[in-house]
Every structure is written in structure tokens, then in C-alpha cells.
């Protein structure tokens, strides 16, 4: 039995909508999931008729889940897409398929163990893999075998859970009239790669009245593994998108260097200063909720804050002397231009926060705490923290380097000028952290 492509696509769509938690357009579903645009509306209609998704018409329309993911089963998805109900009837009986059982649903791994609870002895009744028979023969106790099985076959984060479930100490707990039947899904590693796994199911049947326990270990249904495959594909797509994102950032920094809009080594310097100030903020003001991930991301993105200057005529940027009002107005457009450029960066689950930081850094790094900055005249904490930090280190870096219109200042002079408000007003907290960061040994060594 094989699921149709449309069922495969339906599972992809539901998984993607669950991850997005927002209205998603037909074109986005087609692009992200590699599904033809002709298929999406037809499949979505079936999902809509089954009340799994909801649809909205219009320019900003699209699809989103109609209910929580935990309330949607694979049976729901398959039932509304597959034209024949044969598969549904097949899955209804104990969730297994009676046809092509071994090859289609259980694959090549199946183990049955029988225990004598009174004598504490056990045997392997059946196993697809000869190695299991050998291990049973060589281990003196069931407990020893389970320990070896868990160590050899079970995915790292599932080891304790599986061991506790199969341990002989717990086999006779919570019996009802001396009996119990219970199952546990877990992951089994498939080779030398400890991160490669398939889903398994352990079942235990206990009859204390007969002093007997039966343990089965087998591959989960192919339907379950199909969902896991979809999840893995989506994760890989997001990882590829993240790599594409950082490649874009690196390219933009290279363009800035090529056009001589920044000094040699600027990328490393501005990233370093940003990280050091951020670390002080994180240490002194835990109420800001600054995470290590935020620090790393913003520090990595800091060098692209001036990408909008690519659109500023080079003769204005390299002009000796004071700019005219007209020329200054041209320069002041670069935050808006840069922010607009970031909106064309790759979009995905893993890049959503990066896109937010990129936009805020480019648009708001010239805003000042008292509202005197540009382009939006934001004031106080309305200025995103990432833009505040990049704003102050950008001012510092500009002071300690030569510019066509000014001489370079010594680091001590630059710090004093910023503290005196000569580069605009920054918050007291940010100023304190900037000053503290500039006193650190690694900061001082960088100036030499």
C-alpha cells in the first residue's frame, strides 16, 4: 500500500502551517514545499472541507490551521485526501496494516522476548536480526540484555526513558487484575551516525497470574516515519535558508569593503565592539532579557548597518568638509534604503528573528534616546536595543578612524566625546555599559 502524492503534499502543508502559526499564501506553500501551485488550492480545499485548515480570500489571503496541531491526527489528513477508505479501515485495527505487513510497515527490525517473572529467566522468541539472538545467548540476565540493547540501539536522549520502561523492576507495577498492556514510542539509531534514527515502538504484555511477560520491539508504521521525514526536510530547508542568509550578509559586507565605504578590518571591529557592549548590558541589566543568541546574532549583523550607503553618491561620502543641507538629506536616506534591502533577505522560520534584527539595525542605528535622531525620530525605549547598541559603537568606530571630513581621534578622546553627548544622546544604562566595556582588557588590547 502506498500513499498518493496528494496525501504526501497534504502532510507537508499541515506541518508547514503548524510551524508558521500565521496565514500562508498559496505561492509561499508552493515555493517552500516544492509543491506545484496548481496542486495547493485543490489539496487545501479538501483540508478545508475536513475543517483542518481555514482559508481567507483576497490579496493578503491564504491558509492557516483551523485548530491546534495536537487535535489533528494523521488519520484526519489521510481520510480527507485519499479517495479510497481502504487504508483507513486498514489502520483502524490496532493501528497496523494487515497487508504487506513486514515490508511496508515494520521494515527489517522486529524482536520478541518472553520472560518468566517467577524464575527471572528470558528468551528471544523471534528477531529479524541474528545479532539479537547472540546477545540474548551471551547475557545472563534480562536486565543486562536491556542495558546493552539501550546502549547499542537507542537514540541518546531516549535511553533513560526506554530503560525505565523495559526494566524488570517495573514490569509488575500498576497491574490491573494481574495484567497490563502498554506501549512506548522511541527512536532507534540506524548506523554509525548517532543522529540518524527511525521511530520504534516497544510493547509489553504482562500476565502476573501466568508469571509471563512478552516484550516486542518493532519499527513504527511508515506513516509515522513519513511525518518525521517531512519534518527533517523542513528542518533542512530552514538550515539551508539560514546558510543562505549569512552568505547574503557576508556578500553585503564584501560589497561595502569593495566600495571603500568601510575601513579594512571594519567587520571584525564593529562586531567585537557590539558584542562587548551587549555582554555588559546582559550582565548588569538582566531585566532586559538579553540572550546569548541575540548577542551573537546582532554582533554578526552589525557590519551591515550602513548598507544603504551603497545608494549614496561616492562624491558625497568622500567629500572633504561639511555637507550641504541637500547633501545631508541624501545621506540621511541610507537607513531607509538599507532597511528596505533587508526586506528582500531570505524569509523562513529560522531567519525570522535575524530579519527583524537586520531591519531594526539598518533603520534605527541613527536614532537617539532623546528623539533627536533620524529617520523616524524615535525616543527612549521605542528604539530597539540592537539599534541602540550598534548606534553607539558605530559612533565610536567613526571617531577612532580617519574620514575625509575629519581626523581620527584617540580611543580615550572618542569615549569622552560620546560621554559628553557630542554624538547624540544615549541612555544612561547604555552609556554606562559602553564605558565599562571600553575598560576591559580585551577592548584595550584591540586599540594597540
Amino acid at each position: 500500500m502506498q500513499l498518493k502524492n496528494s496525501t504526501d503534499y497534504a502532510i507537508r502543508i499541515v506541518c508547514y502551517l503548524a510551524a508558521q502559526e500565521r496565514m500562508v499564501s498559496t505561492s509561499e506553500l508552493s515555493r517552500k514545499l516544492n509543491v506545484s501551485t496548481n496542486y495547493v488550492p485543490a489539496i487545501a480545499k479538501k483540508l478545508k472541507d475536513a475543517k483542518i485548515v481555514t482559508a481567507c480570500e483576497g490579496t493578503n489571503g491564504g491558509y492557516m490551521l483551523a485548530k491546534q496541531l495536537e487535535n489533528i491526527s494523521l488519520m484526519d489528513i489521510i481520510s480527507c485526501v485519499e479517495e479510497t477508505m481502504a487504508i483507513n479501515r486498514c489502520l483502524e485495527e490496532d493501528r497496523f496494516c494487515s497487508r504487506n505487513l513486514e515490508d511496508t510497515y515494520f521494515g527489517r527490525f522486529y524482536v520478541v522476548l518472553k520472560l518468566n517473572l517467577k524464575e527471572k529467566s528470558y528468551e528471544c522468541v523471534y528477531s529479524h536480526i541474528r545479532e539479537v539472538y547472540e546477545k540474548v545467548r551471551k547475557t545472563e540476565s534480562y536486565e543486562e540484555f536491556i542495558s546493552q540493547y539501550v546502549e547499542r540501539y537507542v537514540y541518546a536522549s531516549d535511553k533513560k526513558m526506554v530503560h525505565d520502561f523495559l526494566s524488570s523492576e517495573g514490569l509488575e507495577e500498576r497491574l490491573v487484575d494481574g495484567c497490563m498492556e502498554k506501549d512506548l514510542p522511541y527512536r532507534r539509531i540506524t548506523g554509525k551516525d548517532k543522529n540518524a534514527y527511525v521511530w520504534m515502538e516497544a510493547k509489553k504484555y504482562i500476565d502476573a497470574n501466568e508469571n509471563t511477560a512478552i516484550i516486542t520491539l518493532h519499527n513504527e508504521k511508515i506513516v509515522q516515519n513519513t511525518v518525521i521525514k517531512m519534518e527533517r526536510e523542513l528542518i533542512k530547508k530552514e538550515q539551508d535558508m539560514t546558510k543562505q542568509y549569512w552568505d547574503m550578509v557576508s556578500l553585503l559586507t564584501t560589497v561595502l569593503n569593495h566600495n571603500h565605504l568601510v575601513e579594512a578590518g571594519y567587520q571584525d571591529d564593529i562586531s567585537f565592539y557590539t558584542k562587548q557592549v551587549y555582554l555588559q548590558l546582559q550582565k548588569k541589566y538582566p531585566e532586559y532579557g538579553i540572550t546569548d543568541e541575540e548577542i551573537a546574532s546582532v554582533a554578526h549583523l552589525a557590519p551591515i548597518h550602513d548598507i544603504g550607503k551603497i545608494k549614496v553618491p561616492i562624491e558625497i561620502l568622500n567629500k572633504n568638509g561639511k555637507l550641504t543641507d541637500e547633501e545631508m538629506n541624501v545621506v540621511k536616506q541610507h537607513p531607509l534604503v538599507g532597511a528596505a534591502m533587508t526586506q528582500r533577505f531570505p524569509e523562513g522560520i529560522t531567519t525570522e528573528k535575524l530579519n527583524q534584527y537586520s531591519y531594526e539595525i539598518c533603520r534605527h542605528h541613527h536614532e537617539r534616546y532623546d528623539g533627536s535622531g533620524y529617520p523616524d525620530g524615535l525616543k527612549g525605549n521605542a528604539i530597539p536595543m540592537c539599534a541602540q547598541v550598534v548606534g553607539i559603537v558605530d559612533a565610536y568606530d567613526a571617531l577612532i578612524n580617519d574620514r575625509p571630513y575629519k581626523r581620527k581621534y584617540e580611543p580615550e578622546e572618542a569615549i569622552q566625546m560620546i560621554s559628553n553627548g557630542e554624538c547624540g544622546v544615549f541612555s544612561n544604562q547604555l552609556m554606562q555599559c559602553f564605558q565599562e566595556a571600553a575598560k576591559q582588557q580585551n577592548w584595550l588590547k584591540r586599540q594597540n
Side-chain angles (χ1 to χ4, degrees):
M1 183 186 313
Q2 184 173 353
L3 299 181
K4 298 186 305 183
N5 285 340
S6 55
T7 306
D8 178 19
Y9 296 156
I11 295 173
R12 289 171 182 254
I13 289 171
V14 171
C15 287
Y16 188 77
L17 293 179
Q20 298 303 307
E21 297 182 338
R22 60 177 172 81
M23 192 70 69
V24 180
S25 67
T26 297
S27 60
E28 180 177 343
L29 287 172
S30 174
R31 186 175 69 256
K32 300 291 186 181
L33 304 179
N34 292 326
V35 178
S36 169
T37 52
N38 296 325
Y39 275 104
V40 173
I43 296 171
K45 183 180 185 306
K46 293 186 177 183
L47 293 170
K48 181 184 175 184
D49 291 342
K51 295 183 170 43
I52 295 174
V53 305
T54 183
C56 181
E57 305 295 334
T59 308
N60 298 318
Y63 307 99
M64 64 186 302
L65 291 188
K67 48 188 175 181
Q68 295 296 316
L69 182 62
E70 56 266 26
N71 296 324
I72 303 172
S73 69
L74 280 172
M75 182 74 77
D76 295 333
I77 302 172
I78 295 170
S79 298
C80 74
V81 180
E82 291 284 340
E83 294 177 359
T84 172
M85 292 301 292
I87 186 170
N88 300 346
R89 289 194 300 273
C90 185
L91 291 175
E92 283 169 0
E93 295 184 20
D94 197 27
R95 301 187 299 122
F96 302 122
C97 179
S98 59
R99 291 180 291 173
N100 304 320
L101 182 65
E102 177 183 322
D103 293 335
T104 306
Y105 281 92
F106 293 107
R108 297 296 300 167
F109 199 99
Y110 203 106
V111 176
V112 181
L113 303 174
K114 183 179 180 181
L115 288 74
N116 185 312
L117 299 174
K118 184 177 181 179
E119 297 179 2
K120 305 298 182 184
S121 61
Y122 80 111
E123 62 178 314
C124 179
V125 177
Y126 177 77
S127 173
H128 269 335
I129 300 178
R130 174 58 51 182
E131 181 182 355
V132 175
Y133 284 112
E134 298 298 327
K135 282 191 176 295
V136 170
R137 233 188 328 263
K138 292 177 181 178
T139 52
E140 295 182 359
S141 68
Y142 168 76
E143 199 65 43
E144 183 183 351
F145 169 79
I146 291 303
S147 296
Q148 290 188 20
Y149 172 81
V150 169
E151 184 60 33
R152 167 67 178 82
Y153 290 110
V154 178
Y155 192 72
S157 57
D158 292 346
K159 288 183 185 294
K160 184 179 185 306
M161 173 183 68
V162 174
H163 187 276
D164 292 347
F165 180 80
L166 297 175
S167 174
S168 58
E169 295 180 1
L171 291 180
E172 297 185 67
E173 294 179 355
R174 300 179 183 178
L175 301 180
V176 178
D177 296 329
C179 298
M180 178 182 65
E181 178 179 333
K182 198 170 184 180
D183 55 65
L184 175 76
Y186 66 97
R187 290 165 289 183
R188 175 175 64 85
I189 56 177
T190 57
K192 294 182 179 180
D193 182 357
K194 300 298 183 182
N195 293 317
Y197 61 83
V198 295
W199 278 96
M200 298 283 291
E201 186 172 66
K203 276 181 173 286
K204 56 184 180 182
Y205 310 83
I206 314 299
D207 187 344
N209 301 315
E210 297 293 330
N211 295 314
T212 300
I214 300 294
I215 307 294
T216 66
L217 310 166
H218 56 78
N219 285 87
E220 257 286 24
K221 305 184 305 299
I222 197 170
V223 175
Q224 172 75 10
N225 287 327
T226 298
V227 174
I228 300 304
K229 183 181 178 182
M230 295 302 103
E231 291 175 347
R232 286 176 178 170
E233 287 180 3
L234 289 174
I235 290 171
K236 185 178 184 304
K237 285 179 184 293
E238 290 299 329
Q239 290 173 338
D240 292 344
M241 189 172 294
T242 303
K243 181 180 182 303
Q244 182 184 355
Y245 187 95
W246 288 120
D247 288 344
M248 175 82 74
V249 170
S250 178
L251 175 62
L252 286 171
T253 305
T254 301
V255 171
L256 290 172
N257 283 323
H258 180 74
N259 289 348
H260 305 293
L261 300 181
V262 296
E263 302 290 329
Y266 172 81
Q267 180 176 1
D268 291 338
D269 287 344
I270 202 77
S271 293
F272 171 81
Y273 299 139
T274 299
K275 181 177 180 180
Q276 299 312 308
V277 175
Y278 245 119
L279 287 172
Q280 291 298 321
L281 282 166
Q282 184 187 52
K283 176 182 175 182
K284 294 180 180 296
Y285 299 99
E287 62 269 26
Y288 289 164
I290 296 172
T291 64
D292 292 343
E293 183 181 9
E294 178 180 350
I295 295 175
S297 296
V298 176
H300 201 162
L301 290 168
I304 67 167
H305 67 277
D306 271 343
I307 57 172
K309 285 186 177 178
I310 291 173
K311 296 292 184 70
V312 178
I314 197 70
E315 58 269 19
I316 293 179
L317 292 175
N318 291 335
K319 180 180 178 180
N320 288 305
K322 187 176 180 180
L323 298 179
T324 65
D325 290 343
E326 184 179 354
E327 290 169 334
M328 181 55 73
N329 286 333
V330 173
V331 172
K332 283 187 175 182
Q333 293 301 305
H334 82 269
L336 297 174
V337 174
M341 291 174 67
T342 67
Q343 292 183 310
R344 295 194 290 273
F345 284 7
E347 294 183 1
I349 300 171
T350 55
T351 62
E352 183 176 359
K353 201 66 180 176
L354 297 176
N355 278 323
Q356 178 186 334
Y357 290 142
S358 300
Y359 180 87
E360 291 174 348
I361 289 169
C362 289
R363 183 168 185 127
H364 301 307
H365 66 280
H366 280 294
E367 303 287 359
R368 293 298 179 258
Y369 206 71
D370 61 350
S372 62
Y374 64 90
D376 302 308
L378 298 184
K379 187 175 182 179
N381 290 329
I383 308 170
M385 181 58 72
C386 59
Q388 292 189 51
V389 175
V390 174
I392 198 169
V393 300
D394 177 45
Y396 173 76
D397 187 80
L399 289 171
I400 65 173
N401 286 291
D402 286 316
R403 293 289 186 270
Y405 52 87
K406 59 164 274 298
R407 70 174 178 86
K408 120 179 184 179
Y409 295 93
E410 292 300 316
E412 296 78 10
E413 288 182 274
I415 294 169
Q416 191 59 51
M417 292 171 70
I418 293 172
S419 300
N420 292 341
E422 295 181 46
C423 297
V425 177
F426 299 97
S427 74
N428 292 332
Q429 294 91 334
L430 180 58
M431 184 66 71
Q432 178 188 12
C433 291
F434 168 72
Q435 293 169 341
E436 188 63 34
K439 295 177 185 176
Q440 301 303 308
Q441 198 63 33
N442 54 355
W443 186 296
L444 296 173
K445 283 183 179 178
R446 203 172 188 88
Q447 311 306 317
N448 298 329

